[in-house]
């Protein structure tokens, strides 16, 4: 199974950009890269997904390396409400495997 | 907004009891999922369903069964609860290949 590797934790200051990295060196051609986040005491929340091209939505941007072996989730201006565990997942035919994710702490 | 609701936020059951966890979604989604979440292990897929009366095993189906008699409802059944099934259970639904919408979770304790 294709797996992802993320740092266990990261810190950011409020209103600064945050770049959350993810390595997925064994990604296959049909795997989509998904990001979810989980706020305390809540279920995971979809953030963004992409296949090859960079993607933007109202929550974040996703930058995908040309060889697709890594990607970066970009929060343009972190807020205290962005403090959560962020999961990078490879999705193939609705078969998603959540890893441990990155715990993001946002400091005021 | 998509809404996925789960029958209970907290549940305490005894070893050997039969436990039903209910999940309902209000957006006519084809796909529904059951996960459990444990510290250090992340989310693990138990079962999923692509359509009414259809089910597929996930990574850890042992000790669990599911039922999907109606499109909006997906039930997880613990036939004989054991202490190692103490966990947070999360239900999700999805209209297509992407974007799963999760419920708030049920924290089950088996004593």
């Amino acid at each position: 199974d294709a797996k992802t590797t993320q740092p266990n934790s990261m810190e950011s200051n409020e209103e600064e950009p945050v770049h959350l990295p993810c390595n997925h060196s064994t990604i296959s051609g049909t795997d989509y890269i998904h990001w979810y986040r989980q706020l305390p005491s809540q279920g995971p929340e979809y953030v963004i997904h992409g296949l090859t091209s960079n993607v933007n939505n109202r929550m974040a941007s996703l930058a995908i390396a040309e060889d697709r072996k890594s990607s970066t989730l970009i929060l343009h201006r972190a807020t205290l409400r962005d403090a959560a565990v962020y999961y990078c997942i490879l999705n193939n035919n609705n078969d998603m495997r959540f890893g441990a994710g990155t715990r993001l702490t946002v400091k005021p | 907004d998509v809404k996925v609701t789960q029958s209970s936020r907290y549940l305490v059951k005894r070893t050997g009891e039969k436990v039903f966890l209910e999940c309902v979604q209000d957006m006519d989604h084809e796909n529904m999922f059951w996960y459990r979440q444990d510290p250090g292990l992340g989310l693990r897929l138990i079962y999923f369903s692509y359509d009414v009366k259809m089910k597929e095993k996930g990574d850890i189906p042992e000790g669990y069964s599911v039922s999907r008699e109606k499109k909006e409802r997906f039930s997880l059944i613990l036939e004989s609860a054991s202490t190692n099934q103490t966990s947070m259970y999360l239900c999700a639904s999805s209209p297509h290949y992407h974007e799963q919408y999760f419920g708030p979770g049920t924290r089950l304790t088996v004593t």
Side-chain angles (χ1 to χ4, degrees):
Chain A
D1 289 342
K3 291 184 178 176
T4 62
T5 304
Q6 299 176 254
N8 290 332
S9 62
M10 291 184 66
E11 284 189 354
S12 171
N13 293 318
E14 197 176 10
E15 298 191 3
E16 289 186 358
V18 182
H19 290 232
L20 296 164
C22 181
N23 287 318
H24 28 79
S25 58
T26 59
I27 191 170
S28 74
T30 54
D31 286 331
Y32 281 77
I33 301 158
H34 282 232
W35 284 82
Y36 283 74
R37 71 180 186 180
Q38 188 170 19
L39 280 65
S41 302
Q42 295 187 26
E45 173 187 29
Y46 167 83
V47 177
I48 200 167
H49 77 274
L51 184 61
T52 56
S53 304
N54 295 345
V55 184
N56 300 297
N57 67 18
R58 64 176 178 83
M59 290 181 70
S61 295
L62 175 60
I64 301 172
E66 198 169 331
D67 64 4
R68 298 210 327 127
K69 293 186 176 183
S70 65
S71 61
T72 302
L73 180 71
I74 302 164
L75 307 179
H76 295 285
R77 286 179 73 242
T79 69
L80 297 178
R81 293 182 61 187
D82 290 323
V85 178
Y86 286 79
Y87 298 98
C88 169
I89 304 154
L90 300 182
N91 187 353
N92 189 336
N93 196 26
N94 252 330
D95 186 1
M96 299 205 301
R97 298 289 191 264
F98 284 76
T102 297
R103 183 173 297 278
L104 176 66
T105 302
V106 180
K107 296 186 285 185
Chain B
D1 279 352
V2 175
K3 192 159 188 183
V4 178
T5 56
Q6 296 184 228
S7 47
S8 307
R9 287 303 302 268
Y10 300 94
L11 205 55
V12 180
K13 295 292 182 180
R14 293 184 182 273
T15 300
E17 278 193 83
K18 190 169 186 175
V19 181
F20 292 86
L21 302 181
E22 302 285 339
C23 175
V24 178
Q25 50 98 358
D26 66 357
M27 285 301 291
D28 201 37
H29 288 171
E30 301 291 336
N31 309 310
M32 297 188 75
F33 308 82
W34 274 106
Y35 296 86
R36 63 178 283 178
Q37 184 171 29
D38 301 286
L41 295 175
L43 274 81
R44 292 178 291 167
L45 182 64
I46 304 171
Y47 268 99
F48 59 100
S49 169
Y50 288 133
D51 203 350
V52 175
K53 295 192 186 294
M54 296 189 71
K55 60 184 179 184
E56 297 284 343
K57 293 180 179 179
D59 291 333
I60 51 164
E62 296 78 20
Y64 303 94
S65 62
V66 290
S67 172
R68 194 161 180 210
E69 296 297 318
K70 293 185 177 181
K71 192 175 188 180
E72 68 271 18
R73 189 179 298 269
F74 192 35
S75 303
L76 180 69
I77 303 153
L78 287 66
E79 296 290 341
S80 177
S82 64
T83 55
N84 63 13
Q85 292 178 310
T86 291
S87 186
M88 171 68 83
Y89 289 88
L90 290 154
C91 174
S93 73
S94 171
H96 45 58
Y97 191 80
H98 307 293
E99 291 189 57
Q100 291 190 16
Y101 296 87
F102 283 81
T106 296
R107 186 167 294 281
L108 172 67
T109 301
V110 182
T111 61

